[in-house]
Amino acid sequence: VWGHDQKWHHVYGKTSRPFKGELIEVSPYGGLPSLITGEHRIYAMRRHGRSYFSAPEWVPSNTLKSGKDGDLLLYPIDETVEDLDSLDWAKLDGALRPSLGGQLISTSVNQYGARHQILNSHLLPTVIPVNQNFLRLYGYYLAEGWTSPDGMVAWSFHEREVNYLQDVAEVLQQLFQLTAVQRKKPGSKGTDVYVCSKPLARLFHHLAGDNARTKAIYPPFLRLPPHKQTSILIGLWRGDGYYNPKMGFSYSSSSVNLAYQYRLLALRQGIVALVDERPLRTHTGKGFRAGGPTYVVSISLEHTNRFASLGGETIEERVHRRGGAKGFIHSGYLYTAIRAIRRVPYTGPVYDLGV
């Protein structure tokens, strides 16, 4: 786990005990609510008056204050930088085997457990550069990509997003010498751009997953230099992001892990991003039906233009969102206000992690 001292720590144990009483639900701006016991301490800054704060300290949760005159919570930002120039597919996926010519061949396993080459399969380079083009393509996949059991790798966009469709096709040709095909979805305004390659399908499945609710960024990519991570942010926002002149830039995902990772990438750019959970509503033709939650990451008002510059976007209208800043970044921490605190009756086990 990432600790308040801005270092990684191993969890050496978990303990539990029965509990009956009231838990404290702390709902910060910029994050989802947490349920904790009243004596559990949180790293925070006490507010004394409207503008004066004490130094950061460990504060019992049942003494925290919310609202305009409330305390501030501190979240350490992982600013570790470990560059990665390339990916070696042979080390990532045991089902991929390099040929003598330094290219990948697609293999399968027969009923006797023997591995053999799939004839007529397209050969792919074993080493893939982790550059801006690949990371943007990867961001597109995290937002709009999917694979099929027969080896199709596809990205889905609105039919008007011609530039994004073309960008995906050009990167696939440049990096993998694969010619993409576009296919309009019947009865909708969506268009898929896809290639058929089992090795490529396995690669993206390994790096991102394939289920919208469990997709996540490949852990080494979370430590790439921020200028490289910009490309992942661009791909993600172009796929699942939107801009409202009154509210600024937002990104939505059904994966809670991906939402928080998106926030982390923004924070590493020095941009304050806030996570919120909202119920998903699906249109059925007879109205809207409630579904699973979706997680919305909003860029702080003060950083709208800075975020826009990452992707070369031009903001012609001034953002009119009301309200003051809900958070700021200082010395490797996100400082965020507390939206609400409430007491919740609870009977059951409570857990503590030892680090």
Side-chain angles (χ1 to χ4, degrees):
V1 294
W2 186 249
H4 80 286
D5 56 357
Q6 299 173 313
K7 296 179 181 178
W8 285 103
H9 298 269
H10 290 287
V11 177
Y12 62 79
K14 180 182 74 172
T15 59
S16 66
R17 62 182 174 89
F19 179 89
K20 183 177 182 179
E22 289 184 332
L23 294 178
I24 307 299
E25 184 185 73
V26 181
S27 300
Y29 287 101
L32 301 182
S34 296
L35 273 174
I36 49 184
T37 57
E39 69 274 12
H40 187 92
R41 295 179 178 271
I42 294 180
Y43 202 47
M45 289 178 64
R46 293 284 201 184
R47 185 190 291 268
H48 303 282
R50 278 298 182 96
S51 59
Y52 176 72
F53 291 90
S54 62
E57 59 181 309
W58 290 100
V59 178
S61 64
N62 57 10
T63 65
L64 288 170
K65 298 178 181 179
S66 61
K68 293 182 179 180
D69 297 326
D71 304 320
L72 294 179
L73 303 182
L74 278 70
Y75 291 84
I77 302 170
D78 184 358
E79 297 181 323
T80 308
V81 175
E82 296 176 3
D83 201 358
L84 187 65
D85 294 326
S86 60
L87 290 174
D88 187 338
W89 286 21
K91 295 179 180 178
L92 287 174
D93 188 346
L96 300 173
R97 292 292 183 269
S99 70
L100 294 178
Q103 294 176 307
L104 288 178
I105 58 176
S106 185
T107 63
S108 63
V109 178
N110 63 22
Q111 66 268 35
Y112 305 108
R115 188 179 297 279
H116 61 88
Q117 179 181 356
I118 299 175
L119 299 178
N120 300 322
S121 61
H122 181 80
L123 298 181
L124 299 174
T126 55
V127 178
I128 305 302
V130 181
N131 56 23
Q132 307 288 9
N133 285 340
F134 174 76
L135 293 173
R136 190 172 64 258
L137 180 70
Y138 177 69
Y140 285 138
Y141 180 85
L142 286 165
E144 300 289 1
W146 52 275
T147 63
S148 66
D150 59 359
M152 178 184 291
V153 190
W155 290 257
S156 302
F157 296 96
H158 192 279
E159 62 184 7
R160 293 198 302 264
E161 297 174 322
V162 177
N163 291 341
Y164 304 161
L165 292 163
Q166 183 178 349
D167 192 19
V168 169
E170 290 177 353
V171 175
L172 287 169
Q173 181 63 48
Q174 178 189 30
L175 294 181
F176 310 111
Q177 293 75 55
L178 291 170
T179 301
V181 176
Q182 290 191 24
R183 176 184 61 188
K184 193 176 186 314
K185 295 180 180 180
S188 76
K189 295 184 179 181
T191 299
D192 292 335
V193 54
Y194 69 92
V195 293
C196 292
S197 170
K198 284 192 174 182
L200 192 64
R202 283 197 293 267
L203 175 73
F204 277 102
H205 181 81
H206 180 87
L207 295 180
D210 202 34
N211 185 297
R213 293 212 166 272
T214 58
K215 275 186 177 180
I217 296 174
Y218 184 50
F221 289 174
L222 295 173
R223 299 187 292 272
L224 290 173
H227 74 272
K228 279 191 171 182
Q229 293 175 333
T230 296
S231 296
I232 302 177
L233 279 171
I234 291 171
L236 279 165
W237 185 81
R238 288 179 177 178
D240 281 332
Y242 50 95
Y243 172 74
N244 183 315
K246 294 184 178 180
M247 299 298 293
F249 286 99
S250 296
Y251 162 82
S252 64
S253 174
S254 55
S255 167
V256 62
N257 287 334
L258 191 53
Y260 270 96
Q261 290 175 332
Y262 184 94
R263 183 183 80 158
L264 174 60
L265 296 191
L267 292 173
R268 286 168 64 91
Q269 303 287 334
I271 294 174
V272 173
L274 312 176
V275 181
D276 192 19
E277 180 180 345
R278 300 175 188 173
L280 178 66
R281 298 198 308 164
T282 304
H283 195 274
T284 63
K286 298 180 180 180
F288 286 94
R289 174 176 56 85
T294 185
Y295 302 93
V296 178
V297 187
S298 303
I299 299 302
S300 177
L301 170 63
E302 292 73 24
H303 295 120
T304 295
N305 289 329
R306 184 171 181 178
F307 183 84
S309 67
L310 297 181
E313 305 288 341
T314 301
I315 304 301
E316 297 179 354
E317 297 184 67
R318 186 174 182 83
V319 178
H320 300 294
R321 185 167 56 195
R322 295 180 179 179
K326 305 304 181 184
F328 61 92
I329 297 172
H330 178 68
S331 298
Y333 290 89
L334 169 65
Y335 293 71
T336 180
I338 302 174
R339 179 189 295 127
I341 298 174
R342 70 186 185 104
R343 296 175 181 270
V344 180
Y346 174 78
T347 300
V350 293
Y351 300 90
D352 183 60
L353 299 180
V355 295

